[in-house]
Amino acid sequence: DHHASHAASAFYASPFDDAATLTVDGVGEWATAAIGRGRRAGPGAAFELSLDVEMRYPHSLGLLYSAFTAYLGFEVNEGEYKVMGLAPYGEPRYAEAIRKMIEPFADGSFRLDLDWFAFHRDPARSFSGRFEEEFGPARAPESGDPAGDKRLCDIAASVQLVCEELMLGLANEARRRTGSPRLCLAGGVALNAVSNERLLRETKFESIWIQPAGGDAGGALGAALYAANALGPTPLARYEMKSAALGAEYPAADAAAALKAAGLPFTELKGEDELCGSVAELIAQGKVVGWHQGRSEWGPRALGQRSILADPRPAAMKDTVNAKIKFREMYRPFAPSITAGAAAEWFDLPGSPAPDPYRFMLATAKTRVERRDKLAAVTHAD
């Protein structure tokens, strides 16, 4: 099943022998969110995973967020991360209006007032006319700059806040229901890095592990690991995903051949020290570097296997990379890369979380006040 695959992709790939699982997305079969638990009886025993309670279509946090994604002029199932990036430019002054669309329950579940939505009647439409009655005209798809429209920014901030509140409710119920101090998280909503930071800060979980390919692609790994464990203890049954570098790999000779074929000049450097020194010098000079090493990332985040590298210090660098290299919206943020040992010196990290949400670019953190002028390109609007 869809949500069993999501849960398996997180629990069976985590370092935990016992954990609550929470999966939240648009919809898979009929489920839109599920809480369960994974564990094994003892060393050498097979792992077991059960989903104990679920929410069902059409009541869905993923579809609520997607309806606002469409209203804000972005593509559903593609532009949700743009809403998250736009939200810091606004104030959540519409949050109460959005809460009126939702009937919450004490166990963290909720029902949507379907008068506001159209996705259950028309696959081509996400929201009904009530959206425009309440919030004003929808933005035409991919038109203009939404960051220049205070109303649109405030709507993005509002739905982001409500998303965070609902995720906290579901996570707290997973903690209450299972009693486990560890949480494994998957599903498309698990890729909302701002929401994940609040889970790290505000829930009673000691450790949270999030599947880097939290969307539907991650179901492939989940289904495989679920089967491996269902068949009994096997080498695959104890798999810990410490890296997302699971994709294709190309040797240096292939890169050289491709450059030659394209007629592009290149220099071959001797060893990693010379390579890293040369790249660091280019970055310090304000150059932008395309970095390719090892196997490609699996999942939506560029984690140093196929990444664009630039100096995080000057504010203008954000605009340079957005406009001239990625050809994307100017309000979109960038992630900094830092050694784990130095992270707490530069960022306000929540407590002592497991490193994995940050290792896989799955949670945000505020830049420390005294460091912000030194990290202007990667410190977002808020």
Side-chain angles (χ1 to χ4, degrees):
D1 288 351
H2 188 91
H3 277 259
S5 296
H6 272 322
S9 76
F11 174 65
Y12 288 136
S14 79
F16 306 141
D17 284 351
D18 185 302
T21 65
L22 173 62
T23 60
V24 188
D25 64 5
V27 61
E29 286 99 38
W30 289 105
T32 60
I35 293 172
R37 187 166 189 175
R39 57 184 142 186
R40 65 174 173 178
F47 286 89
E48 296 179 355
L49 175 63
S50 63
L51 300 188
D52 303 320
V53 62
E54 66 183 24
M55 283 177 52
R56 291 188 174 180
Y57 181 88
H59 308 291
S60 166
L61 177 50
L63 294 176
L64 168 69
Y65 204 89
S66 292
F68 279 92
T69 299
Y71 173 83
L72 291 168
F74 304 121
E75 184 180 350
V76 171
N77 293 329
E78 178 63 30
E80 283 77 5
Y81 54 89
K82 297 182 182 182
V83 177
M84 186 179 70
L86 183 63
Y89 290 87
E91 299 295 330
R93 62 188 175 101
Y94 295 99
E96 193 56 40
I98 296 173
R99 293 186 188 109
K100 291 178 181 177
M101 304 177 181
I102 302 159
E103 181 185 4
F105 300 106
D107 63 359
S109 65
F110 58 87
R111 292 179 62 85
L112 298 179
D113 180 347
L114 297 177
D115 285 347
W116 290 89
F117 303 96
F119 59 77
H120 56 298
R121 297 191 301 266
D122 182 352
R125 283 186 56 80
S126 296
F127 56 91
S128 75
R130 290 192 66 181
F131 265 57
E132 294 191 299
E133 293 172 8
E134 180 71 34
F135 304 114
R139 173 177 171 248
E142 304 298 341
S143 63
D145 177 14
D149 187 325
K150 183 68 164 57
R151 177 181 66 91
L152 297 177
C153 293
D154 289 348
I155 292 169
S158 301
V159 71
Q160 173 63 34
L161 176 62
V162 172
C163 171
E164 295 164 18
E165 293 170 348
L166 294 173
M167 281 296 286
L168 282 167
L170 291 167
N172 287 331
E173 175 63 10
R175 179 72 171 88
R176 185 199 69 77
R177 181 176 288 272
T178 66
S180 176
R182 293 165 292 275
L183 175 66
C184 292
L185 191 62
V189 182
L191 295 173
N192 190 304
V194 181
S195 172
N196 291 343
E197 184 194 10
R198 291 195 64 182
L199 297 185
L200 288 167
R201 290 187 184 278
E202 299 179 39
T203 66
K204 294 182 179 179
F205 288 107
E206 297 171 5
S207 298
I208 298 178
W209 198 91
I210 306 167
Q211 169 53 243
D216 288 352
L221 176 65
L225 292 176
Y226 191 100
N229 282 272
L231 294 171
T234 70
L236 263 179
R238 175 69 278 181
Y239 168 71
E240 183 179 344
M241 187 176 171
K242 296 182 178 180
S243 170
L246 303 178
E249 183 173 11
Y250 303 95
D254 286 4
L259 291 166
K260 287 177 182 176
L264 296 171
F266 65 92
T267 301
E268 292 194 59
L269 302 175
K270 299 175 181 177
E272 190 170 279
D273 288 346
E274 186 178 356
L275 171 64
C276 291
S278 299
V279 169
E281 185 175 346
L282 289 168
I283 290 173
Q285 293 171 358
K287 306 291 186 183
V288 179
V289 174
W291 182 262
H292 167 289
Q293 66 176 345
R295 300 177 67 176
S296 64
E297 297 92 344
W298 188 59
R301 306 291 197 241
L303 301 171
Q305 307 303 119
R306 309 288 187 272
S307 288
I308 294 168
L309 308 182
D311 191 337
R313 295 172 294 179
M317 185 57 70
K318 173 173 173 283
D319 293 341
T320 296
V321 177
N322 268 333
K324 297 182 179 179
I325 295 159
K326 292 184 75 77
F327 304 107
R328 68 180 196 175
E329 299 87 352
M330 300 300 282
Y331 62 84
R332 299 270 295 280
F334 288 96
S337 179
I338 189 168
T339 59
E345 299 174 22
W346 293 80
F347 303 99
D348 179 16
L349 299 176
S352 299
D356 301 284
Y358 291 100
R359 179 191 305 175
F360 295 127
M361 206 194 297
L362 293 169
T364 57
K366 291 193 183 300
T367 310
R368 291 193 176 279
V369 173
E370 68 275 15
R371 301 285 193 174
R372 290 177 187 174
D373 61 337
K374 299 179 178 66
L375 290 177
V378 295
T379 300
H380 201 31
D382 60 349

